[in-house]
Amino acid sequence: MPKVDEKQMKRIQQIIGIVLYYARAIDLTSLPALSAIASEQEAATESTEQRITQLLDYLTTHQDAVVRYHTSDMVPNIHSDASYLSEPRAQSQVAGYYFLGSEPHNGKPI
């Protein structure tokens, strides 16, 4: 496919930037398509422009995206451990497992 000219390239880059801002803030469903389009923006072709048009059509058709926050009892949890000189010629070692879970009840670990 033929490559796009400089003016079209600039338009593609502007659309990617605008949609990326919108996608991160409100509508995450467009991120996979946006990522695919962004990966070919350096060597954009008419096919890239068609994909941009398809993405814009999708966003126009589904413009009622909202972000809803609901309360829950989830809290960040961390299980961690560290050791020093546990093996010959070893230095400090540390590991951690981070996850979301419920609050511990009665002081018992999760």
Side-chain angles (χ1 to χ4, degrees):
M1 288 224 128
K3 292 192 175 198
V4 298
D5 64 21
E6 196 64 37
K7 185 177 179 183
Q8 292 168 310
M9 176 78 78
K10 187 73 168 172
R11 179 181 174 269
I12 289 171
Q13 291 171 343
Q14 289 173 336
I15 291 171
I16 289 172
I18 291 166
V19 175
L20 180 61
Y21 179 81
Y22 172 76
R24 285 183 175 167
I26 308 260
D27 188 3
L28 301 174
T29 61
S30 58
L31 282 175
L34 186 63
S35 176
I37 294 167
S39 68
E40 55 184 67
Q41 74 175 334
E42 184 180 336
T45 63
E46 289 179 7
S47 173
T48 310
E49 279 200 313
Q50 291 171 354
R51 294 175 78 181
I52 285 276
T53 302
Q54 185 177 10
L55 178 61
L56 291 175
D57 288 346
Y58 169 82
L59 292 172
T60 302
T61 305
H62 300 89
Q63 46 183 294
D64 295 330
V66 294
V67 177
R68 290 189 182 106
Y69 295 100
H70 301 278
T71 58
S72 73
D73 65 347
M74 294 184 87
V75 294
N77 291 280
I78 303 171
H79 292 178
S80 62
D81 191 20
S83 68
Y84 180 70
L85 294 176
S86 54
E87 295 185 26
R89 296 172 35 199
Q91 296 181 3
S92 298
Q93 295 180 348
V94 65
Y97 176 65
Y98 304 84
F99 61 98
L100 290 173
S102 299
E103 233 177 288
H105 298 287
N106 301 326
K108 295 180 182 176
I110 298 171

